[in-house]
Amino acid sequence: MKERFLVSGGARLQGAVKVSGAKNSVLKLMAAALLAEGTSTLTNCPEILDVPLMKDVLEGLGCTVSIDADVVRITTPAHLTPDADFDAVRQFRASVCVLGPLTARCGRAVVALPGGDAIGSRPLDMHQSGLEKLGATTRISHGAVVAEVEQLRGAHISLDFPSVGATENILTAAVLAEGRTVLDNAAREPEIVDLCEMLNSMGAIVEGAGTSTITIDGVEKLHPTEHAVVGDRIVAGTWAYAAAMTQGDITVGGIAPRHLHLALSKLKVAGADVETFENGFRVRMNRRPDAVDYQTLPFPGFPTDLQPMAIGISSIANGMSVITENVFESRFRFVDEMARLGANATVDGHHVVLHGIDQLSSTEVWSSDIRAGAGLVLAALVADGVTTVHDVFHIDRGYPKFVEQLQQLGANIERAF
């Protein structure tokens, strides 16, 4: 039988947790290590399932990868295999981030179209268009995206949407291109800044990280480096909403509060007491939250990865909330599972309207993606009785020691087999 979580509602979460490195950064940094021959070391890596999955991808390309707790070492050979095969890539979406580095290093990349979370289509059009602006030819062939080029050359590229993935692949290709690349409407996420800092420590010349215009002056060669992964703002945000939903008191360390400014501001509006520090924050709530409206947007907007937590808190809030999803069209699949828990929710296109109720009711629910799974656990914490959360392998892909940390905070949760 597949693993599942058994969650008993009613506990008030309190205590302290420290987040590790960001899932949405570490996998891209591992791929960036392909750009330089030799051994690169990443520290503060999260102990999640996706890290060994990326290890498999890189080893299939010819690298040697070791994982020791929160330290990952990647030794990249002089000559890489440019084909990322289906078996390694199919399990998670982030594997497509090897496309840019392989194109830059090998002049050719064949990356099987990846799998991952069921949150909607995420086409590679902007990835391909960006590489084509840099001089590559691309096509989809036999279930893989293929890129080929003799010499990448700098270009002016403007993205239709500030796609994180497209920004990353263009960045990791342009650092070895001839000349200057200017990338307009680039993604501004902290994980993009983290990638740019690692690239610069490898000898790249990247300016403008964290703004909508990034300038890259290509260099002939990069060298290995050591880099600490930025703290995971989505895990930190999950703990923040857990505190507010359970009328708890949680201090979160290992994260820059500015990376969660809007998410924490929403909790203040809902009635929480939020205190920020240099490398963390504290969220306290002593009453039922007030209803707040949310709309997901690229950074610095409200993160789509925290949308399930917004729905969770809105389901028990005092009043009516409207949540608008502007990033992934299928993320409201989560609402069907929340309805099983008794949430009064109505989906209308890209919007969901929630009328908060006093308490959710326990039942069996199924995770469809990493964040939906975590959101269901938070909802189960404010339900009566015992809720069974199935398909928890999704949660393990993004949350290190999730059950153990919840237990330390006072939650009544256990992993069952």
Side-chain angles (χ1 to χ4, degrees):
M1 181 176 290
K2 292 181 178 180
E3 295 180 29
R4 60 200 189 281
F5 294 163
L6 304 179
V7 187
S8 297
R12 178 177 185 267
L13 300 191
Q14 51 187 335
V17 293
K18 183 179 180 180
V19 300
S20 54
K23 168 194 176 294
N24 289 339
S25 189
V26 66
L27 306 177
K28 321 306 174 60
L29 302 178
M30 291 175 70
L34 293 169
L35 289 164
E37 180 184 352
T39 301
S40 290
T41 302
L42 300 176
T43 60
N44 195 39
C45 297
E47 297 180 55
I48 55 175
L49 289 182
D50 274 9
V51 170
L53 289 177
M54 180 58 86
K55 172 181 183 287
D56 291 342
V57 172
L58 297 184
E59 288 182 337
L61 300 173
C63 298
T64 301
V65 183
S66 68
I67 301 174
D68 182 11
D70 69 342
V71 178
V72 176
R73 292 182 176 86
I74 303 148
T75 301
T76 301
H79 300 287
L80 290 164
T81 299
D83 293 9
D85 66 67
F86 178 75
D87 286 340
V89 168
R90 66 182 174 84
Q91 301 180 71
F92 64 124
R93 177 71 184 187
S95 55
V96 77
C97 64
V98 300
L99 180 62
L102 286 178
T103 304
R105 275 293 307 278
C106 306
R108 173 180 167 82
V110 181
V111 182
L113 296 175
D117 293 331
I119 57 176
S121 63
R122 294 187 274 188
L124 299 181
D125 295 4
M126 283 187 284
H127 302 243
Q128 293 179 251
S129 175
L131 292 178
E132 288 170 359
K133 290 283 181 65
L134 294 172
T137 60
T138 73
R139 65 184 186 278
I140 303 295
S141 178
H142 302 291
V145 56
V146 180
E148 295 174 310
V149 68
E150 288 188 12
Q151 173 63 57
L152 292 170
R153 289 182 171 81
H156 194 127
I157 302 170
S158 183
L159 296 178
D160 294 335
F161 177 85
S163 161
V164 172
T167 298
E168 290 162 343
N169 268 324
I170 293 168
L171 269 171
T172 51
V175 289
L176 291 180
E178 183 182 284
R180 171 171 288 187
T181 297
V182 177
L183 179 57
D184 283 330
N185 201 23
R188 300 167 58 187
E189 275 72 4
E191 296 80 18
I192 293 292
V193 177
D194 200 30
L195 174 61
C196 291
E197 289 177 352
M198 177 175 169
L199 291 172
N200 282 340
S201 74
M202 297 172 74
I205 304 172
V206 181
E207 296 180 349
T211 75
S212 58
T213 300
I214 299 177
T215 302
I216 309 106
D217 287 309
V219 297
E220 289 186 9
K221 188 176 181 180
L222 297 177
H223 55 76
T225 191
E226 180 171 335
H227 180 83
V229 183
V230 70
D232 197 317
R233 62 193 172 100
I234 304 303
V235 173
T238 300
W239 297 129
Y241 277 74
M245 288 176 66
T246 64
Q247 297 184 32
D249 182 351
I250 300 177
T251 299
V252 182
I255 183 70
R258 68 182 183 276
H259 294 167
L260 279 169
H261 174 73
L262 185 54
L264 294 177
S265 296
K266 291 287 186 180
L267 288 181
K268 289 182 182 179
V269 176
D273 178 18
V274 179
E275 181 182 1
T276 60
F277 321 114
E278 181 179 354
N279 195 38
F281 58 84
R282 181 182 183 184
V283 175
R284 290 175 287 180
M285 178 74 95
N286 57 17
R287 62 177 178 84
R288 184 181 176 189
D290 294 327
V292 179
D293 293 338
Y294 298 84
Q295 61 171 326
T296 67
L297 288 167
F299 189 85
F302 189 85
T304 182
D305 280 353
L306 287 179
Q307 184 241 79
M309 292 66 182
I311 290 176
I313 195 171
S314 298
S315 70
I316 57 165
N318 182 25
M320 184 188 79
S321 302
V322 179
I323 289 89
T324 303
E325 174 58 50
N326 293 308
V327 182
F328 293 127
E329 73 274 12
S330 296
R331 201 144 217 171
F332 282 154
R333 292 178 59 175
F334 170 75
V335 177
D336 293 337
E337 298 305 302
M338 287 296 296
R340 293 172 62 83
L341 288 163
N344 183 350
T346 303
V347 176
D348 181 11
H350 288 279
H351 311 277
V352 59
V353 178
L354 289 117
H355 295 271
I357 60 176
D358 290 337
Q359 187 177 43
L360 299 173
S361 56
S362 57
T363 187
E364 294 190 61
V365 291
W366 281 259
S367 305
S368 58
D369 67 76
I370 297 169
R371 312 307 173 184
L376 289 171
V377 171
L378 299 196
L381 291 171
V382 292
D384 62 352
V386 179
T387 296
T388 302
V389 182
H390 295 277
D391 292 341
V392 298
F393 66 90
H394 286 296
I395 302 172
D396 291 334
R397 287 183 47 222
Y399 288 85
K401 300 179 180 178
F402 192 55
V403 169
E404 293 82 357
Q405 289 189 313
L406 279 168
Q407 290 171 339
Q408 291 170 8
L409 293 170
N412 188 345
I413 179 173
E414 62 182 79
R415 186 186 296 267
F417 298 90

